[in-house]
Amino acid sequence: MDYSGETLPIIDPVTGEVRQAQLFVAVLGASSYTYVEASWTQGLGDWIGAHVRCLEFLGGVPEILVPDNLRSGVRQASFYEPDLNPTYQDLAAHYGVAVLPARVRKPRDKAKVEAGVLLAQRWILARLRHQHFFSLEAVNRAIRPLLVQLNARPFKRLPGSRQSLFETLDRPALKLLPTTRYEFAEWKIATVGIDYHLEVAGHYYSVPYRFARQRVEVRFTATTVEIFKLGERIASHVRSPLKGRHTTVATHLAPAHQKVAGWNAPRFLEGAAKIGPHTQAAVEQVLRSRPHPQQGYRSCLGILRLATHYGAERLEAACARALQLNALSYRSVASILKHGLERKPRTALQASLPLDHANVRGAEYYH
């Protein structure tokens, strides 16, 4: 499989902007049976999605995939041991297929798809060049009947066609598709925090307390988040779209091990008390506002560290202002200090608002 060098223009129906769609091409080795689809990019999501739809189009799984060395498939090309993208490895494991990338600058390693790309450009792109498309779906609907014609087109020097050879040679050799469709998954390396939570797309997920401060691998799909350490899954969660919130498994928070790397609620409160009563009250409120106090450790740590930059006196005044406004979070306190609002009385802030102004409309305006 490979991408065509030529692209297909698609017009945005709202703005009129023209965007170029990429052409993914895959060819079976024995029959030259061809699959073609358009995608927006050559990025990881489109690359993996094209593979899934290609295998479903074929109705089975081959023994080997031979891709080019694009970054979505191969993180680092090597003659001896090419380093595959973890998501691509995950897809290969799901379908039970081996991936053997072509050597760098060796087009003969994937000669079948090189020829398939030329055919796709001549028999599909060339026939669509005078048409105007306004969506990717419309392009792929136009490609599908042309693809059927291409595979059914008789060979010039051989009997039969790609379709007939596929039925007799390739289809019997394909392995069955898995019962479940591959779900696109991304991987990342993350460091577990002192509160034994790690962040994925703005949400925090717990792991067993013994993995605090350790580096782990995270596999996340649209529905699940899985955390691995040395290849062993140590935690699994339903993915949440809520940013800044926590998903915590109670068994991860063993009562006998609530001290994580020397940090615990009493220590935060003790450090806050040294700064002042308002800081202590703010930290206490942060800890109480979470279902588990450990979920507030990061916020408390951030609030206390503000004293290093702004000084204890200003932090105490900022916490007093945050308590008045019921804005008890690290970001709120940091914002108060950044803009110097802790030096300004609350009544003065209210009086400074431009209530009497020509551009301010009263209730009468809406009658």
Side-chain angles (χ1 to χ4, degrees), residues 266-334:
R267 181 165 180 175
F268 282 119
L269 292 171
E270 181 183 350
K274 293 178 180 178
I275 297 174
H278 293 110
T279 306
Q280 183 181 15
V283 167
E284 186 175 3
Q285 287 290 339
V286 170
L287 293 172
R288 285 181 177 177
S289 65
R290 306 295 200 275
H292 297 279
Q294 292 82 358
Q295 295 173 350
Y297 285 2
R298 293 174 190 258
S299 294
C300 294
L301 183 61
I303 291 171
L304 295 181
R305 284 182 174 174
L306 290 171
T308 304
H309 183 69
Y310 294 101
E313 184 178 348
R314 288 191 63 189
L315 177 58
E316 175 68 5
C319 287
R321 172 53 53 83
L323 288 166
Q324 287 180 346
L325 300 175
N326 195 28
L328 297 169
S329 68
Y330 162 75
R331 290 187 179 181
S332 297
V333 177

Side-chain angles (χ1 to χ4, degrees), residues 183-186 205 219-226 236-241 247:
E183 185 178 12
F184 176 70
E186 295 183 75
Y205 300 89
R219 179 184 185 271
F220 52 101
T221 70
T223 56
T224 60
V225 174
E226 298 173 286
S236 177
H237 301 275
V238 175
R239 187 166 178 179
S240 172
T247 295

Side-chain angles (χ1 to χ4, degrees), residues 7 59 93 104 115 137 145 187 201 219 225 238 349:
T7 57
V104 178
E137 294 75 14
W187 289 79
R219 179 184 185 271
V225 174
V238 175
L349 281 176

Side-chain angles (χ1 to χ4, degrees), residues 191-197 207-215 259-261:
T191 300
V192 181
I194 60 172
D195 56 356
Y196 33 94
H197 285 72
V207 301
Y209 62 87
R210 64 182 180 276
F211 296 104
R213 293 188 180 276
Q214 296 188 29
R215 287 169 64 84
K259 287 188 177 182
V260 181

